């Protein structure tokens, strides 16, 4: 293995390869003919190109190395072939194949570039618009380049680039509608198949949180002049295609509590309660409930949750001496969290009564002497954007 480092050089007699000020490492393993190059970018960027044992292809070893935000590990893999199933393509004015490949590389939405060797007629194919590319021999004179990820910093090997021995390659790309991952599969006939998966996102107005089983989206609703029972809160969430959210983490709790404070506004005088997911199980409030160990103490198992994606419940931090069940008379079978205006004043330290602490509350009562049920927090899982695939 040899390492080259220069601004511009010839390989095996081929015309100059312009690598600008980048270094690259020759990853050739078998003979003297390079097959693959890893370009070393100052910020960790790397890219591969496959040479198909053809020195002439050294000509195509040009990648334009711009800092990328969403596809740092993508590279362009060059071979022969032509797209045979696609719904759109567009022409790019390129005088050389390198420009054509570079244009695809730089475009966040492009996944395949294609042209005859001569004359150059560069066509770019966007994510979710091209599905199948026929593999051809060099005699076809038809060039194709795939944008793909090469995992693990290793040079691909095998003779079916970009899938290399019938395994899959992946890529990432994005258009106006969504971000996608895609697989490039070489298993049927002499073609590569591209299949796309749009990455689910939280719609606008929802904030994303990470959970062990999935990501979640939370939206907090409420205000200084409104009140909601728990069932009204639940209905409101359901109308938004969601349910009341549980509190998986302290992050989620703090988000709901701090958003609640913002919704109530600077002038809101005192406390408020905001509903979150959690309704006490029937056996935990009917006669004999003490006989079930999970109904006692602070166990969250005494509640059912409409939020079906809870794992750790760590955002439910009980207020002092809570939950207190029917201590004040009626059973308090739903869960609210406290929105405390004191949280606006960090100089005061409320250990026992932190903003966002949980309390069991009577499900259909909204007005108390000192506070009112002023809002709720909805949750749902991220969705594939409409029209993405
Ligand atoms: C083209 O690809 C799409 C998506 O995979 C597929 O549904 C369609 O049947 C393909 N068309 C042809 C003619 O193979
Ligand atoms: C794609 O992902 C980027 C980075 O996470 C994000 O900023 C952008 O909004 C996403 N695009 C779409 C259309 O979802």
């Amino acid at each position: 293995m040899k390492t080259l480092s220069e601004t511009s050089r010839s390989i095996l007699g081929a015309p100059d390869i312009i690598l600008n000020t980048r270094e690259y490492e020759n990853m050739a393993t078998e003979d003297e003919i390079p097959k693959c190059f890893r370009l070393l970018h100052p910020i960790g960027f790397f890219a591969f190109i496959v040479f198909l044992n053809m020195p002439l292809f050294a000509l195509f070893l040009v990648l334009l190395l711009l800092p990328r935000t969403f596809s740092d590990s993508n590279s362009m893999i060059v071979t022969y072939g032509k797209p045979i199933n696609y719904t759109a393509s567009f022409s790019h004015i390129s005088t050389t194949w390198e420009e054509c490949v570079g244009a695809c590389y730089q475009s966040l939405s492009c996944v395949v570039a294609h042209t005859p060797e001569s004359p150059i007629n560069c066509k770019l194919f966007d994510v979710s618009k091209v599905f199948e590319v026929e593999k051809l021999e060099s005699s076809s004179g038809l060039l194709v380049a795939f944008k793909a990820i090469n995992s693990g910093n290793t040079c691909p090997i095998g003779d079916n680039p970009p899938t290399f021995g019938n395994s899959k390659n992946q890529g990432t790309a994005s258009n106006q509608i969504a971000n996608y991952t895609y697989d490039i599969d070489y298993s049927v006939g002499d073609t590569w198949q591209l299949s796309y998966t749009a990455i689910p996102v939280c719609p606008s107005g929802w904030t994303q949180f990470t959970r062990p089983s999935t990501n979640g989206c939370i939206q907090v609703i409420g205000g200084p002049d409104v009140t909601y029972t728990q069932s009204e809160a639940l209905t409101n969430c359901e109308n938004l295609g969601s349910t009341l959210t549980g509190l998986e983490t302290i992050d989620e709790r703090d988000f709901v509590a701090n958003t609640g404070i913002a919704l109530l506004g600077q002038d809101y005088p005192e406390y408020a309660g905001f509903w979150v997911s959690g309704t006490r199980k029937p056996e935990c409030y009917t006669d004999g409930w003490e006989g079930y160990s999970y109904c006692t103490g602070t166990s969250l198992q005494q509640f059912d949750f409409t939020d079906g994606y809870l794992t750790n419940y760590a955002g439910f931090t009980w207020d002092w001496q809570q939950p207190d069940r029917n201590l004040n008379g009626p059973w308090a079978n739903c869960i609210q969290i406290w929105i405390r205006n004191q949280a606006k004043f960090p100089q005061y330290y409320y250990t026992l009564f932190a903003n966002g602490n949980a309390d069991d509350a009577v499900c259909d009562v909204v007005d108390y002497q000192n506070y009112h049920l002023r809002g709720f927090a909805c949750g749902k899982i991220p969705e594939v954007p409409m029209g993405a695939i």
Side-chain angles (χ1 to χ4, degrees), residues 38-254:
R38 185 172 56 149
L39 306 185
L40 304 172
H41 188 273
I43 58 165
F45 167 87
F46 67 92
F48 292 100
I49 288 206
V50 173
F51 278 78
L52 300 181
N53 287 318
M54 292 191 59
L56 179 63
F57 265 65
L59 174 63
F60 304 127
L61 182 68
V62 173
L63 289 190
L64 304 177
L65 307 172
L66 298 180
R68 305 291 296 267
T69 52
F70 174 63
S71 51
D72 270 359
S73 56
N74 277 329
S75 55
M76 300 300 296
I77 296 174
V78 172
T79 180
Y80 289 102
K82 68 171 183 199
I84 54 172
N85 179 358
Y86 55 93
T87 52
S89 71
F90 56 94
S91 298
H92 183 266
I93 300 169
S94 308
T95 51
T96 62
W97 174 228
E98 304 88 85
E99 275 180 44
C100 185
V101 173
C104 185
Y105 178 74
Q106 285 184 69
S107 155
L108 286 176
S109 57
C110 182
V111 298
V112 167
H114 171 65
T115 183
E117 278 173 321
S118 176
I120 297 289
N121 179 15
C122 174
K123 299 268 192 246
L124 303 183
F125 297 78
D126 274 356
V127 60
S128 88
K129 303 287 188 202
V130 56
F131 307 101
E132 195 168 15
V133 177
E134 185 181 6
K135 185 184 179 188
L136 296 171
E137 301 301 322
S138 57
S139 56
S140 69
L142 294 174
L143 294 162
V144 69
F146 294 86
K147 188 184 284 177
I149 293 171
N150 276 287
S151 56
N153 279 12
T154 54
C155 216
I157 52 168
D159 55 4
N160 291 322
T163 52
F164 308 107
N166 289 347
S167 66
K168 282 186 179 181
N169 267 42
Q170 272 93 37
T172 59
S174 55
N175 59 21
Q176 306 282 32
I177 300 169
N179 290 322
Y180 302 79
T181 61
Y182 53 92
D183 288 331
I184 307 169
D185 208 350
Y186 185 84
S187 52
V188 184
D190 277 342
T191 68
W192 291 283
Q193 292 87 39
L194 293 98
S195 54
Y196 303 93
T197 307
I199 297 170
V201 292
C202 295
S204 117
W206 298 77
T207 300
Q208 185 157 312
F209 291 88
T210 304
R211 291 186 176 187
S213 57
T214 174
N215 286 337
C217 310
I218 296 180
Q219 179 170 186
V220 186
I221 293 169
D225 306 316
V226 282
T227 56
Y228 304 89
T229 64
Q230 198 247 25
S231 64
E232 286 168 351
L234 185 57
T235 302
N236 273 282
C237 290
E238 284 167 357
N239 290 342
L240 297 171
S242 65
T243 187
L244 284 170
T245 186
L247 301 172
E248 176 77 21
T249 59
I250 295 288
D251 260 7
E252 292 188 8
R253 180 200 74 175
D254 287 350

Side-chain angles (χ1 to χ4, degrees), residues 285-302:
Y285 60 86
T286 46
D287 283 356
W289 65 268
E290 297 95 331
Y292 299 96
S293 62
Y294 59 85
C295 293
T296 64
T298 57
S299 170
L300 283 158
Q301 299 306 313
Q302 65 195 283

